[in-house]
Amino acid sequence: MINNQIYLDNSATTKPYDEVTDFMKLIGSTCYGNPSSMHSMGLKAQMLIKEARASVAETIGARSKEIYFTSGGTESNNLAIAGYIEANPRNGKHIITSSIEHPSVLEVIKYLERKGFKADYIRPDVSGKVKIEELSNALRPDTVLVSIMYINNETGSLQPIREIGNIIRKSNPKTVFHSDAVQAYGKIALNPENDNISLMSFSSHKIHGPKGAGALYVNKSVRIKPILLGGGQEYGIRSGTENVIGICGFGMAARVCHEHLESNNEHCSKLKEILKEGILKNIENTVVISDKNSSPYILNVSFPGITSEVLLHSLEQKNIFISAGAACHSNKSGKSYVLAEMGCDKKTADGAVRISLSMFSTEDEIRQVIKELTEIVPILRALKQKGCKR
Amino acid sequence: MINNQIYLDNSATTKPYDEVTDFMKLIGSTCYGNPSSMHSMGLKAQMLIKEARASVAETIGARSKEIYFTSGGTESNNLAIAGYIEANPRNGKHIITSSIEHPSVLEVIKYLERKGFKADYIRPDVSGKVKIEELSNALRPDTVLVSIMYINNETGSLQPIREIGNIIRKSNPKTVFHSDAVQAYGKIALNPENDNISLMSFSSHKIHGPKGAGALYVNKSVRIKPILLGGGQEYGIRSGTENVIGICGFGMAARVCHEHLESNNEHCSKLKEILKEGILKNIENTVVISDKNSSPYILNVSFPGITSEVLLHSLEQKNIFISAGAACHSNKSGKSYVLAEMGCDKKTADGAVRISLSMFSTEDEIRQVIKELTEIVPILRALKQKGCKR
């Protein structure tokens, strides 16, 4: 428990490791050279970035030169899609994605549609998994790019990435596969090359690193163009003086979380099971939205008859922090397009919350959450039935 | 003196204030919520960003809503130009800039030229100032945007911004004026509205804030479109989870440096004068490139007969850090397009170095630099004459 807070909104963002904030402070105070400066203070900053790049590369079995640092997951997704399209104008005008991608994927593809591209948005089944057959049927000779996220940020559904990679490879070796792995990186073992993924996006602040840093993996065989132009940093792919403090924090977080990848995974799997069983046992009429094979870090669960925002604020009074959906966009309507696409009825969607774990989550915290939910949910249901606005 | 280092490359980047790194550490450890989260931890992060936004706005006499946070000066410049052009497709196809802008301005305009825009690149006079008459003559009814930097990063030349603003206003009220103020912000008092500037770019790491943060001022009357698409953060103009730690550091740095704006300015003016006089007095055949009215923070000076990189590395042996040109791009050829545009002969350009000050610079440091230069320059000249490769 951190400052008596039970923080279970780790898919929105995570607490930076102490090692990370300490390292960032040290770098900020002592290694403040500009990596582009020709003197040793510049070189030192350059070496720090090189180290961070090697750290990130190592965690996914990639070469250092395949890792480009960005300002975060959103920029990585934008750069992957727009940068690939810009660099390969003759590879086709058709894009495939899913209807449950993060807005930083969907909005770029909608933008490209306005510029003359065609796009297919593959829908998920009831479990939140993208329909493989639909995707397979949508592939065309002029499909330039397929973008499917690794793990959905709202439901935790693990997408059939390897299968999709194989289908793409067989259908058209020229079609490039991008995966937004922001919710998967640092949670499960990833190797983009093995999955036929040419472009993969990562975010620092989802793995106990700082916000404002991320990376894009670009397979060595693939060429992209920058979206930010200028001094030519990051091998010409991402101009702008490097966020040295943020990149160092990200590199450190990547190392630390991958040291404990498996044990963290087991730890969260166990907690998620306790949470799910506890809720199902104690609160009647509960719908578990996250499917069996979803991320151990995310439980999406609905209490039909309540409004998720109200539950969120009620739990907040008890120092418990969860989410009514994804936090990564400023649309605060609370209406989840992900659940809608999965075919969730309105009542279930309205009562859905996301409880997302981290390696710092404890069994005591989970039991406390079950206790509070067991008390609060029936009260909120009764109040809502009475037509009380709360 | 910091760790016995005489750091005089402050136009490349600055040492973050201790208050800044302390604050960043505090935020990273305690206020790690996602500003888009609906609970109080998200709200707290939101409030921190609001505070930083107000701080930056206040320093330039702007409204909070006119400040958009970005990942730095490069992104601010890209967003200003590409974002304005994208949002105003009917305002014309002609752009005016100078030939001595930062690459993050020049490269975007070159990109737009490839997309069908026309651009005029106004050259500077021998003092490094953009030729006003040429600029005035270049203005056309279809000039959509003029982008002229406030202070040049290599020579410190202060551009005739107010005059340019007036000329644009009179010529075509629809033409929008952007100024890259990365080297001016926190050094001299700025008020974009007074200068008829609609778009102005700032960087955090040039004012003792962290790298990876910056801002764009967008006058309330002007509409721009985002270049990073997604969750719609920063009022829809800059998607991506906010770099809370970086933004807080930037806000703090903005406050601290503006508290001492005038005294810092006087301090550096005095040191620059001592440096210039000392060099001119002690080293024969010296060419001061920075003109009389240039930034108090930058002295560009040439010792014809030496190679600037060699001098840079020689000074480095004495723990003195300067620049052989701009550090903000990874092109390390050492050839300065800025000096070339000013009409500098090759020998003068080859021997030019940039010494850039900060509020932390001391008179002792400056006297030490004069002493070392006085010793080293004649030796390097003699070695070069003998054809020694060093």
Side-chain angles (χ1 to χ4, degrees):
Chain A
M1 211 175 291
I2 307 160
N3 309 325
N4 289 323
Q5 292 172 329
I6 301 182
Y7 183 71
L8 295 172
D9 197 9
N10 290 285
S11 291
T13 195
T14 54
K15 181 182 192 299
Y17 292 126
D18 290 340
E19 299 96 307
V20 165
T21 51
D22 288 345
F23 190 43
M24 288 170 71
K25 163 102 174 109
L26 181 73
I27 300 299
S29 308
T30 58
C31 307
Y32 54 87
N34 187 321
S36 293
S37 285
M38 269 195 275
H39 48 66
S40 60
M41 286 179 68
L43 189 68
K44 200 167 172 187
Q46 243 183 71
M47 296 308 290
L48 285 166
I49 292 175
K50 190 178 171 186
E51 219 170 84
R53 200 186 307 279
S55 295
V56 173
E58 200 190 326
T59 59
I60 56 162
R63 299 151 202 90
S64 271
K65 280 198 170 173
E66 294 174 319
I67 302 297
Y68 300 88
F69 286 116
T70 68
S71 68
T74 288
E75 190 186 326
S76 293
N77 282 338
N78 275 244
L79 177 59
I81 299 169
Y84 183 77
I85 295 288
E86 177 83 13
N88 300 276
R90 285 181 205 87
N91 286 17
K93 288 272 189 187
H94 179 244
I95 299 168
I96 298 174
T97 189
S98 85
S99 58
I100 56 166
E101 296 297 309
H102 188 266
S104 56
V105 165
L106 292 175
E107 293 301 323
V108 179
I109 295 177
K110 281 185 210 159
Y111 174 85
L112 290 167
E113 281 190 285
R114 293 194 293 275
K115 300 282 174 186
F117 282 77
K118 296 283 168 202
D120 279 315
Y121 298 84
I122 310 300
R123 295 186 60 176
D125 59 23
V126 286
S127 78
K129 278 208 186 77
V130 165
K131 290 175 184 165
I132 278 281
E133 213 184 299
E134 262 187 38
L135 189 145
S136 184
N137 291 337
L139 279 161
R140 309 190 326 202
D142 67 334
T143 304
V144 53
L145 183 103
V146 176
S147 180
I148 303 289
M149 68 202 327
Y150 219 103
I151 286 175
N152 182 269
N153 49 316
E154 290 192 35
T155 63
S157 59
L158 186 63
Q159 300 303 324
I161 291 296
R162 179 156 293 183
E163 224 175 321
I164 296 172
N166 281 333
I167 290 170
I168 295 169
R169 197 197 316 256
K170 279 177 204 159
S171 153
N172 184 354
K174 272 184 139 181
T175 302
V176 150
F177 186 15
H178 165 247
S179 186
D180 168 2
V182 163
Q183 295 289 345
Y185 182 64
K187 313 285 167 70
I188 57 171
L190 299 175
N191 185 311
E193 199 154 33
N194 285 354
D195 289 347
N196 192 35
I197 294 169
S198 297
L199 301 157
M200 193 180 249
S201 306
F202 311 107
S203 167
S204 156
H205 75 98
K206 309 287 190 190
I207 62 159
H208 307 285
K211 297 170 186 64
L216 179 66
Y217 160 83
V218 183
N219 185 277
K220 65 180 191 303
S221 68
V222 162
R223 211 170 79 86
I224 64 168
K225 279 199 178 176
I227 51 176
L228 289 178
L229 307 174
Q233 286 88 346
E234 294 294 300
Y235 312 109
I237 290 306
R238 205 284 180 184
S239 285
T241 295
E242 298 88 338
N243 176 3
V244 182
I245 296 180
I247 290 171
C248 285
F250 179 23
M252 171 72 89
R255 281 195 296 279
V256 175
C257 80
H258 279 85
E259 273 166 24
H260 312 286
L261 196 72
E262 272 180 56
S263 57
N264 289 345
N265 195 304
E266 276 168 36
H267 173 69
C268 289
S269 293
K270 191 186 138 203
L271 294 186
K272 181 176 164 178
E273 200 54 34
I274 294 170
L275 180 61
K276 193 173 80 178
E277 292 309 316
I279 290 172
L280 283 172
K281 194 182 143 197
N282 291 291
I283 308 170
E284 60 178 9
N285 190 17
T286 296
V287 182
V288 174
I289 293 171
S290 299
D291 79 316
K292 231 189 232 174
N293 302 314
S294 58
S295 163
Y297 289 80
I298 297 176
L299 182 71
N300 195 313
V301 62
S302 172
F303 309 101
I306 64 142
T307 308
S308 55
E309 290 91 330
V310 179
L311 178 55
L312 180 149
H313 291 305
S314 302
L315 285 175
E316 196 178 348
Q317 306 299 323
K318 308 283 182 181
N319 257 334
I320 297 169
F321 300 89
I322 64 163
S323 169
C328 307
H329 47 89
S330 54
N331 164 19
K332 304 231 170 117
S333 72
K335 301 286 163 261
S336 163
Y337 63 93
V338 174
L339 300 188
E341 287 295 310
M342 284 166 64
C344 247
D345 62 87
K346 193 181 171 302
K347 207 172 171 188
T348 305
D350 284 351
V353 294
R354 178 184 70 180
I355 303 172
S356 50
L357 312 170
S358 86
M359 62 180 280
F360 295 126
S361 305
T362 66
E363 193 172 327
D364 279 353
E365 289 182 342
I366 296 304
R367 299 219 177 270
Q368 183 71 18
V369 171
I370 296 168
K371 186 176 153 273
E372 298 294 352
L373 282 172
T374 306
E375 275 178 41
I376 294 169
V377 170
I379 298 172
L380 294 183
R381 277 177 172 158
L383 283 170
K384 197 173 179 188
Q385 253 191 342
K386 281 190 199 154
C388 174
K389 270 188 185 168
R390 267 212 69 177
Chain B
M1 210 175 294
I2 308 158
N3 308 325
N4 290 320
Q5 291 171 332
I6 301 182
Y7 183 72
L8 295 171
D9 197 9
N10 289 286
S11 291
T13 195
T14 54
K15 182 182 192 299
Y17 293 125
D18 288 342
E19 298 96 308
V20 165
T21 51
D22 287 348
F23 190 43
M24 289 170 70
K25 164 103 176 106
L26 181 74
I27 300 300
S29 308
T30 59
C31 307
Y32 54 87
N34 187 321
S36 293
S37 284
M38 268 193 277
H39 48 65
S40 61
M41 286 179 69
L43 189 68
K44 200 168 172 187
Q46 246 184 70
M47 296 310 288
L48 285 166
I49 292 176
K50 191 179 170 187
E51 218 170 87
R53 199 186 310 277
S55 295
V56 173
E58 199 191 326
T59 59
I60 56 163
R63 299 151 200 89
S64 272
K65 279 199 170 171
E66 294 175 318
I67 302 297
Y68 300 88
F69 287 115
T70 68
S71 68
T74 288
E75 190 186 326
S76 294
N77 283 337
N78 275 244
L79 176 59
I81 300 169
Y84 183 75
I85 296 287
E86 176 84 13
N88 300 276
R90 286 182 205 84
N91 288 18
K93 287 271 189 190
H94 179 243
I95 299 168
I96 298 175
T97 188
S98 85
S99 59
I100 56 165
E101 295 297 308
H102 188 267
S104 57
V105 166
L106 293 174
E107 293 300 323
V108 178
I109 295 177
K110 283 185 208 158
Y111 173 85
L112 290 166
E113 283 191 283
R114 293 194 293 276
K115 301 281 175 187
F117 283 76
K118 296 282 170 205
D120 280 315
Y121 298 83
I122 311 302
R123 293 186 62 176
D125 59 23
V126 285
S127 78
K129 279 208 186 77
V130 165
K131 290 176 184 162
I132 278 280
E133 213 185 302
E134 263 187 38
L135 188 146
S136 184
N137 292 337
L139 279 161
R140 309 191 325 203
D142 67 335
T143 304
V144 53
L145 182 103
V146 176
S147 179
I148 303 289
M149 67 201 329
Y150 219 103
I151 287 176
N152 182 268
N153 50 315
E154 290 192 36
T155 62
S157 59
L158 186 63
Q159 299 303 324
I161 291 297
R162 178 156 294 184
E163 225 176 321
I164 296 172
N166 281 332
I167 290 170
I168 295 169
R169 198 197 314 255
K170 279 176 203 158
S171 154
N172 185 352
K174 271 184 142 181
T175 302
V176 150
F177 187 15
H178 166 246
S179 186
D180 169 1
V182 163
Q183 295 290 343
Y185 182 63
K187 313 284 167 73
I188 58 172
L190 300 176
N191 185 310
E193 199 153 32
N194 285 353
D195 289 346
N196 191 35
I197 294 169
S198 297
L199 301 157
M200 193 180 252
S201 306
F202 310 106
S203 167
S204 154
H205 76 98
K206 310 287 191 191
I207 61 158
H208 307 285
K211 297 170 185 64
L216 179 66
Y217 159 83
V218 182
N219 184 277
K220 64 179 193 306
S221 67
V222 163
R223 210 170 79 87
I224 64 167
K225 279 200 176 174
I227 50 177
L228 289 179
L229 307 174
Q233 286 88 348
E234 294 294 299
Y235 311 109
I237 291 305
R238 204 288 181 181
S239 286
T241 296
E242 297 88 340
N243 177 3
V244 182
I245 296 178
I247 289 171
C248 286
F250 179 21
M252 170 74 87
R255 282 194 295 277
V256 176
C257 80
H258 279 85
E259 274 166 26
H260 311 285
L261 196 73
E262 272 181 53
S263 57
N264 289 345
N265 195 306
E266 277 169 36
H267 173 68
C268 289
S269 294
K270 191 185 137 204
L271 294 186
K272 181 176 163 178
E273 201 55 30
I274 294 170
L275 179 61
K276 193 172 79 177
E277 292 309 317
I279 289 171
L280 283 170
K281 193 181 144 197
N282 290 291
I283 308 170
E284 61 178 7
N285 190 17
T286 297
V287 182
V288 173
I289 293 171
S290 299
D291 79 317
K292 231 189 234 175
N293 302 316
S294 57
S295 163
Y297 289 80
I298 297 176
L299 181 70
N300 195 313
V301 62
S302 172
F303 309 101
I306 64 141
T307 307
S308 56
E309 290 89 332
V310 179
L311 178 55
L312 180 149
H313 291 305
S314 302
L315 285 175
E316 196 179 348
Q317 305 299 321
K318 309 281 182 182
N319 258 334
I320 297 169
F321 300 88
I322 64 162
S323 169
C328 307
H329 47 89
S330 54
N331 164 20
K332 302 226 172 122
S333 71
K335 301 286 163 260
S336 162
Y337 64 93
V338 173
L339 300 189
E341 289 294 311
M342 284 165 66
C344 246
D345 62 88
K346 192 179 171 304
K347 208 173 169 186
T348 305
D350 284 351
V353 293
R354 178 184 70 180
I355 303 172
S356 49
L357 311 170
S358 86
M359 61 180 283
F360 295 125
S361 305
T362 65
E363 194 172 328
D364 280 354
E365 289 182 341
I366 296 304
R367 300 221 177 267
Q368 183 72 16
V369 171
I370 297 168
K371 185 175 155 274
E372 299 293 350
L373 282 172
T374 307
E375 273 177 41
I376 294 170
V377 169
I379 298 171
L380 295 183
R381 278 177 172 157
L383 284 170
K384 198 172 178 188
Q385 253 191 341
K386 281 189 197 154
C388 173
K389 272 188 185 165
R390 265 215 70 177

